[in-house]
Amino acid sequence: MTVLSVAVIAGGPSAEANVSRTSARAVSAALEAAGHRATIIELDAELPAALKRGQFAVVFPVTHGPVGEDGCLQGLLEVLNVRYVGSGVLASALAASKPHAKALFRLAGLPVADEVLLVDTDDASAVARVHATLGRSVVVKPASGGSAIGTTRVGDAEPDAALAEAIAAARAVDPRVLVERFIVGNEVTCGVLEDQRGVRALPPTLILAKAADWYDFESRYKAGGSEHQCPAPLADAVTRRIQEVALGAYEALGCRDLGRVDFVVGDAEDGSEVTLLEVNTLPGMTATSLYPEAARAEGLGFPELCSLLARRAAERPLRSAPTELAMP
């Protein structure tokens, strides 16, 4: 096996920077365990110089949130013409913007929740518009970002002030606020992986939050904050539907290498109903994160998974320079 020199990128100007650094340490250790050489580099103004000095075979971004996951870092890597793991600029940007992703999901005929997008709307008119369009039971979230930061559930018995506060909390993260109809059901996620066999969906995972009544930030990252069941104990037909929609969402955005697709499964009338939420192009990558857990359920250990992704990127050809045309 060829030993690769891999730059693992972490951190950056994001509320999820510490989550990213935790993932990066795990990925670095996994790559070393697989026989590669890994160096963790912070996502900051010194990154281009560090990448040039290092002459790395592959860059492995393990970044979450703005700049690292939304196409900015990927654009820098394209300018530097280095090989890297994960989706390219466009797919990363589309997945990071929930309204843009949902528009493409609808075009692909994928099942999504009804929503209202709030941009430059005062609180009173925003609350009235949400209630008129979606009712009173909603989920309010920033139009970008992850880890449930700035996301609030508002129940149908809560006052208008609660919705206004939730909108303000989301707007503090992103001036665009996405409000979706709240769907009662199980939280399920499904990884997608590209390897020598092509693009395939991993076994879905059922997420049971423990730290809260939904999968919020504490439930995601606090020790014992959640329980994961993979493969999810679902009917075969529901599992197949989740995997089918996960692949459809991944392809609709033009993703590459890996992704994790989030769902709500079940509603008040149909326990098998599948609703697509979003695609994470750079999912959490600690050894106990959802994506590596799903890969392990298929017999692919964490070192093998990280090595597979790094080798896949290393095999991609670099961009060739076109012939410049002379000005007439």
Side-chain angles (χ1 to χ4, degrees), residues 180-269:
E180 296 178 315
R181 188 187 305 280
F182 175 59
I183 299 171
V184 178
N186 292 314
E187 296 182 78
V188 174
T189 193
C190 183
V192 177
L193 174 66
E194 293 189 52
D195 60 13
Q196 65 276 10
R197 292 186 281 172
V199 185
R200 60 193 172 99
L202 298 174
T205 301
L206 173 65
I207 302 166
L208 301 172
K210 300 293 186 182
D213 59 359
W214 64 288
Y215 197 45
D216 65 353
F217 188 85
E218 282 205 8
S219 296
R220 291 164 192 255
Y221 301 117
K222 183 178 179 180
S226 65
E227 176 188 341
H228 306 161
Q229 296 182 10
C230 184
L234 300 167
D236 290 346
V238 178
T239 294
R240 287 194 298 271
R241 176 60 173 159
I242 290 168
Q243 292 177 316
E244 174 188 71
V245 175
L247 290 171
Y250 183 91
E251 292 168 1
L253 299 181
C255 298
R256 184 178 69 183
D257 290 344
L258 77 162
R260 201 194 74 231
V261 188
D262 295 340
F263 297 88
V264 172
V265 177
D267 62 20
E269 298 180 358

Side-chain angles (χ1 to χ4, degrees), residues 1-2 4-8 23 26-28 30-31 34 36 57-62 83-87 191-196 198-200 202 250 255-260 280-286 291-292 295 300-316:
M1 182 192 77
T2 301
L4 299 175
S5 176
V6 185
V8 181
S23 286
V27 168
S28 178
L31 288 169
H36 302 294
V58 175
V59 174
F60 199 135
V62 194
R83 298 176 175 92
Y84 61 96
V85 171
S87 292
V192 177
L193 174 66
E194 293 189 52
D195 60 13
Q196 65 276 10
V199 185
R200 60 193 172 99
L202 298 174
Y250 183 91
C255 298
R256 184 178 69 183
D257 290 344
L258 77 162
R260 201 194 74 231
N280 300 271
T281 53
L282 290 175
M285 289 290 281
T286 70
Y291 189 88
L300 188 61
F302 193 44
E304 292 76 19
L305 171 65
C306 292
S307 180
L308 182 157
L309 292 167
R311 286 188 285 104
R312 179 176 175 80
E315 291 167 0
R316 274 196 283 271

Side-chain angles (χ1 to χ4, degrees), residues 98-100 115-121 129-130 134 141-143 175-179:
K98 295 176 176 67
H100 287 88
E115 82 277 352
V116 168
L117 179 64
L118 303 174
V119 182
D120 297 326
T121 308
R129 183 181 168 200
V130 168
L134 303 176
K141 59 182 71 172
R176 302 174 306 148
V177 176
L178 185 68
V179 186

